[in-house]
Short mmCIF file of all heavy atoms in Angstrom, two decimals:
data_model
loop_
_atom_site.label_atom_id
_atom_site.label_comp_id
_atom_site.label_asym_id
_atom_site.label_seq_id
_atom_site.Cartn_x
_atom_site.Cartn_y
_atom_site.Cartn_z
N ASN A 18 133.22 70.10 113.26
CA ASN A 18 132.93 68.81 113.88
C ASN A 18 132.12 69.01 115.25
O ASN A 18 132.77 69.37 116.20
CB ASN A 18 134.22 67.94 114.15
CG ASN A 18 133.93 66.55 114.64
OD1 ASN A 18 132.95 66.25 115.28
ND2 ASN A 18 134.81 65.61 114.13
N LYS A 19 130.83 68.99 115.16
CA LYS A 19 130.07 69.24 116.42
C LYS A 19 130.36 68.35 117.51
O LYS A 19 130.40 68.63 118.75
CB LYS A 19 128.59 69.19 116.06
CG LYS A 19 128.12 70.39 115.16
CD LYS A 19 126.63 70.31 115.01
CE LYS A 19 126.13 71.46 114.01
NZ LYS A 19 124.60 71.54 113.87
N LEU A 20 130.69 67.00 117.27
CA LEU A 20 130.89 66.03 118.34
C LEU A 20 132.23 66.48 119.02
O LEU A 20 132.27 66.43 120.24
CB LEU A 20 131.07 64.67 117.75
CG LEU A 20 131.47 63.53 118.69
CD1 LEU A 20 130.41 63.44 119.83
CD2 LEU A 20 131.65 62.27 118.04
N LYS A 21 133.19 66.94 118.27
CA LYS A 21 134.52 67.25 118.81
C LYS A 21 134.25 68.58 119.70
O LYS A 21 134.80 68.64 120.89
CB LYS A 21 135.47 67.73 117.69
CG LYS A 21 136.89 67.84 118.25
CD LYS A 21 137.81 68.32 117.06
CE LYS A 21 137.95 67.12 116.03
NZ LYS A 21 138.98 67.50 115.01
N THR A 22 133.40 69.43 119.37
CA THR A 22 133.10 70.66 120.14
C THR A 22 132.35 70.23 121.39
O THR A 22 132.76 70.79 122.53
CB THR A 22 132.16 71.64 119.41
OG1 THR A 22 132.77 71.98 118.29
CG2 THR A 22 131.80 72.92 120.18
N ILE A 23 131.44 69.36 121.39
CA ILE A 23 130.76 68.80 122.59
C ILE A 23 131.72 68.20 123.57
O ILE A 23 131.69 68.41 124.74
CB ILE A 23 129.58 67.80 122.30
CG1 ILE A 23 128.54 68.55 121.43
CG2 ILE A 23 129.09 67.14 123.40
CD1 ILE A 23 127.50 67.65 120.85
N VAL A 24 132.59 67.32 123.07
CA VAL A 24 133.54 66.66 123.89
C VAL A 24 134.54 67.64 124.53
O VAL A 24 134.76 67.64 125.75
CB VAL A 24 134.44 65.62 123.08
CG1 VAL A 24 135.54 65.08 123.88
CG2 VAL A 24 133.44 64.49 122.58
N TYR A 25 134.97 68.60 123.70
CA TYR A 25 135.89 69.63 124.25
C TYR A 25 135.23 70.46 125.27
O TYR A 25 135.81 70.71 126.42
CB TYR A 25 136.32 70.58 123.09
CG TYR A 25 137.34 71.67 123.52
CD1 TYR A 25 138.61 71.35 123.68
CD2 TYR A 25 136.82 72.95 123.85
CE1 TYR A 25 139.55 72.37 124.06
CE2 TYR A 25 137.69 73.92 124.25
CZ TYR A 25 139.03 73.60 124.38
OH TYR A 25 139.98 74.64 124.76
N PHE A 26 133.99 70.92 125.07
CA PHE A 26 133.23 71.64 126.10
C PHE A 26 133.07 70.86 127.38
O PHE A 26 133.14 71.49 128.51
CB PHE A 26 131.87 72.03 125.56
CG PHE A 26 130.98 72.85 126.44
CD1 PHE A 26 131.41 74.09 126.96
CD2 PHE A 26 129.77 72.37 126.87
CE1 PHE A 26 130.67 74.82 127.78
CE2 PHE A 26 128.95 73.12 127.71
CZ PHE A 26 129.37 74.28 128.22
N THR A 27 132.85 69.59 127.31
CA THR A 27 132.68 68.70 128.49
C THR A 27 133.96 68.74 129.29
O THR A 27 133.98 68.98 130.44
CB THR A 27 132.25 67.36 128.06
OG1 THR A 27 131.04 67.33 127.28
CG2 THR A 27 132.08 66.51 129.31
N ILE A 28 135.05 68.51 128.54
CA ILE A 28 136.39 68.55 129.21
C ILE A 28 136.70 69.95 129.82
O ILE A 28 137.30 70.01 130.90
CB ILE A 28 137.52 68.03 128.37
CG1 ILE A 28 137.17 66.60 127.84
CG2 ILE A 28 138.79 67.99 129.01
CD1 ILE A 28 138.15 66.06 126.82
N LEU A 29 136.31 70.97 129.09
CA LEU A 29 136.59 72.29 129.59
C LEU A 29 135.87 72.52 130.95
O LEU A 29 136.38 73.12 131.80
CB LEU A 29 136.10 73.32 128.53
CG LEU A 29 136.49 74.80 128.73
CD1 LEU A 29 138.04 74.94 128.50
CD2 LEU A 29 135.77 75.71 127.75
N ILE A 30 134.62 72.03 131.04
CA ILE A 30 133.86 72.19 132.32
C ILE A 30 134.58 71.43 133.39
O ILE A 30 134.71 71.80 134.52
CB ILE A 30 132.40 71.70 132.13
CG1 ILE A 30 131.65 72.73 131.21
CG2 ILE A 30 131.72 71.57 133.44
CD1 ILE A 30 130.18 72.31 130.98
N ILE A 31 134.96 70.18 133.00
CA ILE A 31 135.58 69.31 134.07
C ILE A 31 136.86 69.96 134.68
O ILE A 31 137.03 69.98 135.87
CB ILE A 31 135.99 68.00 133.42
CG1 ILE A 31 134.77 67.15 133.15
CG2 ILE A 31 136.96 67.14 134.32
CD1 ILE A 31 134.95 65.86 132.30
N ILE A 32 137.69 70.53 133.82
CA ILE A 32 138.96 71.09 134.38
C ILE A 32 138.80 72.39 135.04
O ILE A 32 139.69 73.04 135.64
CB ILE A 32 140.04 71.18 133.19
CG1 ILE A 32 139.57 72.31 132.15
CG2 ILE A 32 140.33 69.98 132.58
CD1 ILE A 32 140.70 72.75 131.27
N HIS A 33 137.52 72.95 135.00
CA HIS A 33 137.22 74.20 135.80
C HIS A 33 136.42 73.94 137.03
O HIS A 33 136.26 74.87 137.84
CB HIS A 33 136.44 75.19 134.82
CG HIS A 33 137.36 75.92 133.85
ND1 HIS A 33 137.79 75.42 132.69
CD2 HIS A 33 137.75 77.20 133.90
CE1 HIS A 33 138.41 76.20 132.02
NE2 HIS A 33 138.50 77.28 132.65
N THR A 34 135.97 72.80 137.05
CA THR A 34 135.03 72.46 138.30
C THR A 34 135.35 71.35 139.21
O THR A 34 134.95 71.22 140.28
CB THR A 34 133.64 72.35 137.83
OG1 THR A 34 133.47 71.29 136.81
CG2 THR A 34 133.14 73.63 137.07
N VAL A 35 136.05 70.23 138.45
CA VAL A 35 136.28 69.03 139.28
C VAL A 35 137.66 69.21 139.92
O VAL A 35 138.67 69.13 139.23
CB VAL A 35 136.25 67.76 138.38
CG1 VAL A 35 136.62 66.57 139.20
CG2 VAL A 35 134.91 67.68 137.73
N HIS A 36 137.69 69.39 141.21
CA HIS A 36 138.91 69.65 141.96
C HIS A 36 139.63 68.33 142.30
O HIS A 36 139.76 68.01 143.54
CB HIS A 36 138.61 70.49 143.18
CG HIS A 36 138.06 71.84 142.80
ND1 HIS A 36 138.92 72.86 142.46
CD2 HIS A 36 136.78 72.23 142.71
CE1 HIS A 36 138.19 73.94 142.16
NE2 HIS A 36 136.91 73.59 142.31
N LEU A 37 140.18 67.72 141.28
CA LEU A 37 140.91 66.45 141.46
C LEU A 37 142.40 66.95 141.78
O LEU A 37 143.03 67.58 140.85
CB LEU A 37 140.89 65.56 140.24
CG LEU A 37 141.81 64.36 140.24
CD1 LEU A 37 141.32 63.45 141.37
CD2 LEU A 37 141.65 63.59 138.87
N LYS A 38 143.02 66.50 142.82
CA LYS A 38 144.39 66.89 143.11
C LYS A 38 145.40 65.81 142.91
O LYS A 38 145.28 64.68 143.24
CB LYS A 38 144.47 67.28 144.70
CG LYS A 38 143.83 68.67 145.02
CD LYS A 38 144.15 69.12 146.38
CE LYS A 38 143.57 70.49 146.63
NZ LYS A 38 143.93 70.96 148.05
N ILE A 39 146.38 66.20 142.08
CA ILE A 39 147.59 65.26 141.83
C ILE A 39 148.72 65.96 142.70
O ILE A 39 149.26 66.98 142.39
CB ILE A 39 147.91 65.31 140.38
CG1 ILE A 39 146.74 64.71 139.58
CG2 ILE A 39 149.21 64.38 140.19
CD1 ILE A 39 147.01 64.67 138.07
N PHE A 40 149.00 65.28 143.81
CA PHE A 40 149.82 65.93 144.87
C PHE A 40 149.20 67.19 145.29
O PHE A 40 148.07 67.16 145.88
CB PHE A 40 151.28 65.96 144.41
CG PHE A 40 151.94 64.74 144.09
CD1 PHE A 40 152.12 64.30 142.67
CD2 PHE A 40 152.31 63.94 145.07
CE1 PHE A 40 152.63 63.09 142.49
CE2 PHE A 40 152.93 62.70 144.74
CZ PHE A 40 153.09 62.31 143.42
N GLN A 41 149.81 68.29 145.06
CA GLN A 41 149.12 69.63 145.44
C GLN A 41 148.58 70.33 144.24
O GLN A 41 148.15 71.51 144.41
CB GLN A 41 150.09 70.44 146.26
CG GLN A 41 150.50 69.94 147.56
CD GLN A 41 151.25 70.89 148.38
OE1 GLN A 41 151.65 71.95 148.06
NE2 GLN A 41 151.50 70.45 149.72
N PHE A 42 148.67 69.83 143.03
CA PHE A 42 148.22 70.56 141.86
C PHE A 42 146.71 70.22 141.70
O PHE A 42 146.36 69.03 141.44
CB PHE A 42 148.99 70.05 140.63
CG PHE A 42 148.80 70.94 139.46
CD1 PHE A 42 149.61 72.03 139.24
CD2 PHE A 42 147.81 70.66 138.51
CE1 PHE A 42 149.44 72.88 138.10
CE2 PHE A 42 147.59 71.45 137.40
CZ PHE A 42 148.42 72.54 137.23
N ASP A 43 145.87 71.22 141.78
CA ASP A 43 144.46 71.11 141.77
C ASP A 43 144.05 71.31 140.31
O ASP A 43 144.11 72.46 139.74
CB ASP A 43 143.79 72.20 142.65
CG ASP A 43 142.32 71.97 142.70
OD1 ASP A 43 141.63 71.36 141.83
OD2 ASP A 43 141.60 72.45 143.64
N LEU A 44 143.57 70.24 139.65
CA LEU A 44 143.25 70.33 138.25
C LEU A 44 142.03 71.23 137.95
O LEU A 44 141.91 71.83 136.87
CB LEU A 44 142.94 68.92 137.65
CG LEU A 44 144.05 67.88 137.69
CD1 LEU A 44 143.63 66.60 137.03
CD2 LEU A 44 145.21 68.36 136.83
N GLY A 45 141.13 71.36 138.92
CA GLY A 45 140.00 72.26 138.81
C GLY A 45 140.28 73.66 139.00
O GLY A 45 139.38 74.52 138.94
N ARG A 46 141.48 74.01 139.47
CA ARG A 46 141.84 75.37 139.72
C ARG A 46 143.11 75.80 139.07
O ARG A 46 143.13 76.88 138.33
CB ARG A 46 141.99 75.55 141.29
CG ARG A 46 142.45 76.99 141.69
CD ARG A 46 142.87 77.03 143.17
NE ARG A 46 144.13 76.20 143.32
CZ ARG A 46 144.54 75.78 144.53
NH1 ARG A 46 143.91 76.15 145.60
NH2 ARG A 46 145.70 75.17 144.56
N ASP A 47 144.19 75.04 139.22
CA ASP A 47 145.46 75.55 138.74
C ASP A 47 145.68 75.48 137.17
O ASP A 47 146.61 76.10 136.58
CB ASP A 47 146.55 74.69 139.35
CG ASP A 47 146.59 74.87 140.88
OD1 ASP A 47 146.30 75.98 141.34
OD2 ASP A 47 146.81 73.82 141.52
N LEU A 48 144.68 74.79 136.59
CA LEU A 48 144.81 74.90 135.05
C LEU A 48 144.13 76.09 134.38
O LEU A 48 144.25 76.37 133.23
CB LEU A 48 144.08 73.58 134.40
CG LEU A 48 144.88 72.29 134.61
CD1 LEU A 48 144.07 71.11 134.06
CD2 LEU A 48 146.25 72.42 133.95
N HIS A 49 143.45 76.95 135.25
CA HIS A 49 142.96 78.16 134.74
C HIS A 49 143.28 79.36 135.62
O HIS A 49 142.92 80.54 135.32
CB HIS A 49 141.40 78.11 134.48
CG HIS A 49 140.54 78.03 135.71
ND1 HIS A 49 140.39 76.86 136.43
CD2 HIS A 49 139.89 78.92 136.43
CE1 HIS A 49 139.56 77.15 137.51
NE2 HIS A 49 139.24 78.34 137.38
N TYR A 50 143.96 79.16 136.70
CA TYR A 50 144.37 80.24 137.56
C TYR A 50 145.81 80.65 137.08
O TYR A 50 146.47 79.88 136.42
CB TYR A 50 144.60 79.77 138.99
CG TYR A 50 143.34 79.99 139.95
CD1 TYR A 50 142.08 79.80 139.38
CD2 TYR A 50 143.48 80.37 141.21
CE1 TYR A 50 140.99 79.99 140.18
CE2 TYR A 50 142.40 80.65 142.07
CZ TYR A 50 141.16 80.45 141.50
OH TYR A 50 140.02 80.62 142.32
N GLY A 51 146.14 81.91 137.37
CA GLY A 51 147.47 82.41 137.07
C GLY A 51 148.31 82.09 138.26
O GLY A 51 148.03 81.43 139.19
N VAL A 52 149.64 82.54 138.25
CA VAL A 52 150.49 82.42 139.31
C VAL A 52 150.20 83.37 140.50
O VAL A 52 149.31 84.34 140.29
CB VAL A 52 151.99 82.58 138.84
CG1 VAL A 52 152.37 81.57 137.83
CG2 VAL A 52 152.35 84.03 138.43
N ALA A 53 150.72 83.26 141.58
CA ALA A 53 150.70 84.14 142.72
C ALA A 53 149.30 84.43 143.20
O ALA A 53 148.82 85.44 143.66
CB ALA A 53 151.33 85.54 142.32
N GLY A 54 148.42 83.33 143.11
CA GLY A 54 147.08 83.43 143.57
C GLY A 54 146.27 84.42 142.73
O GLY A 54 145.19 84.84 143.30
#
C-alpha cells in the first residue's frame, strides 16, 4: 500500500523534526532518543 507508506513516512519525519512539547516530553526528540541523553 503505497499510500500507507507515504503517510507513514510523513509522520516519521514529523516525530523526528517537529519539536512539540507535551509538558517536558519533546515529541521531536524523545521519541527517537534513548535514555540518559
Side-chain angles (χ1 to χ4, degrees):
N18 190 324
K19 290 184 179 180
L20 179 61
K21 192 182 293 186
T22 302
I23 293 171
V24 171
Y25 181 82
F26 178 61
T27 303
I28 300 174
L29 194 68
I30 290 180
I31 291 172
I32 65 168
H33 283 79
T34 60
V35 179
H36 294 277
L37 176 64
K38 287 189 176 182
I39 301 177
F40 298 102
Q41 291 189 357
F42 193 88
D43 187 339
L44 297 179
R46 181 191 64 194
D47 298 325
L48 288 176
H49 70 280
Y50 270 39
V52 300

